[in-house]
Amino acid sequence: MIFGGAMALFEGIAAVAKDDLFLSTRHYVFEFSLQGWGWVHLILGIIIILAGCAVLTGALWARFLGVFVAGLGAIANFLWIPYYPIWATVLVAVNLFIVWALCHGMHREAGHAHAA
């Protein structure tokens, strides 16, 4: 999660700085300004990093928070695909892997609790 959050953070910084590596897309349904999308990714990246640090504590609430914010990260990057296709696709995959890993960990812990 910390890695995925850091990548979203860097993506947001690049967009807010109006870097020229992004595609200009016209007539896109979810069209915001590049800076608007940059702030979305910047804030979401910070929240994902903080949630990743909380998950390291082992708290159950942190796992639920992690699933929620990683899900938001996957959606935000899916909507970001027209602006930076390869990077956004990789981050969608990273966020979906995070959701799977956190849910799989919760399922395994629940199974061990019933076995005891």
Side-chain angles (χ1 to χ4, degrees), residues 84-114:
Y84 202 38
I86 295 173
W87 186 266
T89 304
V90 168
L91 285 179
V92 167
V94 167
N95 282 303
L96 291 177
F97 177 74
I98 291 167
V99 169
W100 173 82
L102 290 173
C103 290
H104 186 70
M106 283 189 272
H107 174 71
R108 287 182 48 196
E109 287 177 8
H112 291 316
H114 292 296

Side-chain angles (χ1 to χ4, degrees), residues 1 47-48 50-52 54-55 59-74 95 98-100 102-103 106:
M1 281 188 74
I47 294 170
I48 292 172
L50 293 174
V55 166
L60 184 60
W61 66 266
R63 285 182 181 255
F64 284 115
L65 178 64
V67 168
F68 179 71
V69 296
L72 288 178
N95 282 303
I98 291 167
V99 169
W100 173 82
L102 290 173
C103 290
M106 283 189 272

